Amino acid sequence: MRTLRAVAAALAMVVVAGCSEAAPGDAADLTKVKYLTAFNAFGREAYAFVADEKGFFAEQGLDVEIAIGSGSGENMAALSSGAADFAPVDSTGYILTKATGKVSGVTAITAIQQKSMVGIMTLDGNGITSPKDLEGKVMGDQEGATTTILFPTYAKLAGIDASKVEIIPVAAPELAGALAAKKVDSIGQFVVGKPLIEKAAGGKTAVALPFSDVITDLYGHFLLTSDKIANDDPELAKKFTTALLKGLDYSIANPAEAAKILNKAQPETDAEIATKELEIMAAYVKGDGAETGKVDAERVTRVIQVLEGAGSVPAGKKPEDFVKVLN
């Protein structure tokens, strides 16, 4: 009995000693990084909060601060300056901005959506059901938004006269209200915003004109990081990408749960609207069945060629000027 008691005491000391050491994944061991949402905390942004809540970031040894992004331009500036480490940015706006030298020091490392979510939203009864119907109408859009930047290219490829569409600046939070109040005939809006627009319009049916119907090779958002991280710490980029895409896959497979997680982190969000946004976004994340996050060099080349042909980017640009694929 004395021997058994001695063994038990020794084992207890081992257990206590083990518990006093930090286990892998403890906060002290995690690498801190800062992530910006693409814009605000809409349902389409839930995947980052899901990756955090479900421990996907921690699995990769990361402690991620999720901050609210203010749009493509601001996000790219934050990455370039080192104020943030990762952020999703609309891929087309990013290519247009970088190709024309308006931003540097950033690169794309994966795709969030395989199809662009950029588009124009209107309401049933406004007489707009096709691109041609936009002529003679007024569109509201946030100043500098991707929709406005890309509109001349969209108009040219859709066969409409861009000069016949008046675009007026409307602050992003006021877009839905401006459309509902008939201050504008249409607005620049991601197609996943349909549920939010319909709620603001008192249940009236929203009509979307996705840019991807005309410019078929466009990706949705790219995940961007700084050139410094991509070149000097590719392992960090890989770990972050792995965790974020895991959160993305989980979110589109479980939209209602993902919306609740988002609402828990950002109580001002509407979980019902967020669920509907994620349901719509699923088709854009997977595209035609492509692997989540996949970026194809040939497809990026076609996007560049379309933009170059429309006079939106200078000649001679290559996929590697915009995307660093991490193997």
Side-chain angles (χ1 to χ4, degrees), residues 7 40 50 75 80 93-94 116 127 154 189 212:
V7 170
N40 215 315
V50 169
N75 281 3
S80 181
Y94 158 64
S116 174
Y154 171 78
Q189 183 69 220
S212 60

Side-chain angles (χ1 to χ4, degrees), residues 48-61:
F49 296 93
V50 169
D52 187 43
E53 175 73 15
K54 290 292 181 180
F56 301 155
F57 287 135
E59 288 174 357
Q60 296 296 323

Side-chain angles (χ1 to χ4, degrees), residues 137-161:
K137 302 291 198 305
V138 178
M139 182 175 83
D141 200 17
Q142 181 183 14
E143 196 166 7
T146 299
T147 319
T148 297
I149 294 172
L150 191 57
F151 186 75
T153 302
Y154 171 78
K156 181 176 181 178
L157 296 174
I160 65 175
D161 188 345

Side-chain angles (χ1 to χ4, degrees), residues 29-119:
D29 296 333
L30 302 180
T31 301
K32 294 184 181 295
V33 298
K34 184 174 181 178
Y35 168 87
L36 299 177
T37 64
F39 182 76
N40 215 315
F42 296 115
R44 70 202 76 156
E45 308 289 350
Y47 57 92
F49 296 93
V50 169
D52 187 43
E53 175 73 15
K54 290 292 181 180
F56 301 155
F57 287 135
E59 288 174 357
Q60 296 296 323
L62 303 176
D63 177 10
V64 179
E65 175 192 351
I66 302 176
I68 303 304
S70 302
S72 297
E74 289 81 355
N75 281 3
M76 285 187 282
L79 293 172
S80 181
S81 69
D85 301 302
F86 300 95
V89 169
D90 178 73
S91 64
T92 310
Y94 158 64
I95 291 173
L96 289 170
T97 304
K98 190 172 185 181
T100 52
K102 295 176 182 177
V103 70
S104 62
V106 298
T107 188
I109 54 176
T110 195
I112 303 299
Q113 295 94 15
Q114 293 295 311
K115 289 172 57 181
S116 174
M117 300 191 299
V118 171

